[in-house]
């Protein structure tokens, strides 16, 4: 199981640009649940690998501030975690 987690991390880091691109594509999804999950992903990235998000920090911060005002309370709360 440990080897699997190492391989999964390696694969994710190798595809990080695609992952970030996908997150930013999903950021304006009309579904509140998707916006909430995008916020959760940004929160996890900033906690675990802030260097990956650093080049995109301005956009991430602006997005989180926007979602802070979301009409969906759960999405807004998730954005506050950032």
């Amino acid at each position: 199981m440990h080897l699997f987690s190492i391989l999964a991390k390696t694969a994710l880091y190798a595809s990080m640009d695609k992952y970030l691109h996908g997150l930013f594509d999903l950021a304006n999804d009309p579904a509140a649940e998707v916006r909430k999950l995008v916020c959760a992903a940004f929160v996890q990235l900033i906690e675990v690998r802030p260097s990956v998000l650093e080049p995109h920090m301005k956009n991430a911060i602006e997005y989180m501030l926007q979602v802070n005002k979301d009409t969906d309370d759960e999405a807004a709360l998730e954005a506050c975690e950032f």
Side-chain angles (χ1 to χ4, degrees), residues 22-74:
L23 280 179
F24 281 111
D25 283 349
L26 291 171
N28 295 314
D29 193 283
E33 182 67 21
V34 173
R35 293 190 306 276
K36 183 176 89 170
L37 293 172
V38 169
C39 289
F42 282 138
V43 168
Q44 289 177 353
L45 277 174
I46 201 72
E47 289 175 353
V48 177
R49 293 288 276 199
S51 61
V52 169
L53 200 51
E54 191 174 318
H56 310 280
M57 194 61 74
K58 181 181 183 291
N59 291 335
I61 290 171
E62 288 175 358
Y63 175 72
M64 293 304 222
L65 289 172
Q66 175 187 334
V67 179
N68 244 327
K69 302 172 190 172
D70 202 291
T71 55
D72 182 83
D73 290 340
E74 289 184 21

Side-chain angles (χ1 to χ4, degrees), residues 5-16:
S5 70
I6 291 171
L7 292 174
K9 287 179 188 177
T10 304
L12 179 60
Y13 295 147
S15 303
M16 190 56 71

